[in-house]
Amino acid sequence: NAGVMQNPRHLVRRRGQEARLRCSPMKGHSHVYWYRQLPEEGLKFMVYLQKENIIDESGMPKERFSAEFPKEGPSILRIQQVVRGDSAAYFCASSPRGGRTEAFFGQGTRLTVV
Amino acid sequence: AQTVTQSQPEMSVQEAETVTLSCTYDTSESDYYLFWYKQPPSRQMILVIRQEAYKQQNATENRFSVNFQKAAKSFSLKISDSQLGDAAMYFCAYRTSGAGGTSYGKLTFGQGTILTVHP
């Protein structure tokens, strides 16, 4: 049973470009969480999604960031017009359902904006 | 909103010795979960140990144990017989129980403690 798969592991973008980060949850998991880790800091919650629904996006920046989790395929975190401050590690976690169930993390995508 | 504080940016320990990492949190909820995660240089987040707030007994996983003081809102991690492979960043995290309709598993993390293990 494969774990949570994130790709790419490393992504370099120039300022102004778009970044697309992908997360394939564990088999049978329908809940996905995205976190951002800035250098030398802890992980910060960004968004919680279930299939085809955004449940909680309270941690998402208001502009340039969006997330989706379609009925088929991976969850996508999209950052438009990236800036240097977007450079960070982005982690995805998945769980079979919310609440008391455990979430499992992927290895993260390190985004570098040059 | 819940907050998690780790007041030790860095800690060090000699191999085979014991070290304790501190964590405090703030919440108005009575039922919740607390976790310690390990993040080695590979960046993978590895769950070390979890504690359910309604359980009075401190959780233990092999060489890892916690001291959970609910009234003081304190949740420290003790690593016994430290090994070189324990060297990593350690994060304390809080999660609501999901009771009362808040049925999601969002984690709130502390700032992390870098643990160095000396041979």
Side-chain angles (χ1 to χ4, degrees), chain B residues 86-104:
Chain B
D86 294 334
M89 175 81 91
Y90 285 82
F91 291 101
C92 178
Y94 171 102
R95 193 184 86 200
T96 186
S97 70
T102 313
S103 57
Y104 59 89

Side-chain angles (χ1 to χ4, degrees), chain A residues 9-10 33 35 37 40-43 45 48 56 58 89 91 98-103 105-110, chain B residues 31 33 35 37 39 42-45 47 50 54 91 95-99 103-107 109-111 114:
Chain A
R9 289 294 309 280
H10 302 275
Y33 309 84
Y35 294 85
Q37 184 179 27
E40 311 301 326
E41 293 189 13
L43 281 72
F45 169 78
Y48 163 47
D56 180 354
S58 59
F91 289 88
R100 295 180 181 271
T101 56
E102 210 60 69
F105 280 86
Q107 288 193 284
T109 293
R110 180 171 293 284
Chain B
D31 193 15
Y33 295 87
F35 305 85
Y37 280 90
Q39 186 181 45
S42 68
R43 282 208 319 265
Q44 177 73 54
M45 293 292 287
L47 178 62
R50 60 179 270 172
Y54 65 87
F91 291 101
R95 193 184 86 200
T96 186
S97 70
S103 57
Y104 59 89
K106 179 175 82 174
L107 289 162
F109 286 88
Q111 307 92 315
I114 299 173

Side-chain angles (χ1 to χ4, degrees), chain B residues 36-108:
Chain B
W36 280 97
Y37 280 90
K38 171 185 178 182
Q39 186 181 45
S42 68
R43 282 208 319 265
Q44 177 73 54
M45 293 292 287
I46 301 166
L47 178 62
V48 174
I49 199 165
R50 60 179 270 172
Q51 174 80 42
E52 293 150 331
Y54 65 87
K55 289 187 176 178
Q56 291 188 331
Q57 187 173 7
N58 289 324
T60 300
E61 288 286 343
N62 301 314
R63 297 182 296 107
F64 299 87
S65 61
V66 298
N67 183 4
F68 173 47
Q69 302 288 328
K70 191 172 183 179
K73 296 180 181 174
S74 170
F75 182 61
S76 60
L77 174 70
K78 185 171 84 171
I79 306 174
S80 304
D81 186 26
S82 297
Q83 300 176 0
L84 295 177
D86 294 334
M89 175 81 91
Y90 285 82
F91 291 101
C92 178
Y94 171 102
R95 193 184 86 200
T96 186
S97 70
T102 313
S103 57
Y104 59 89
K106 179 175 82 174
L107 289 162
T108 301

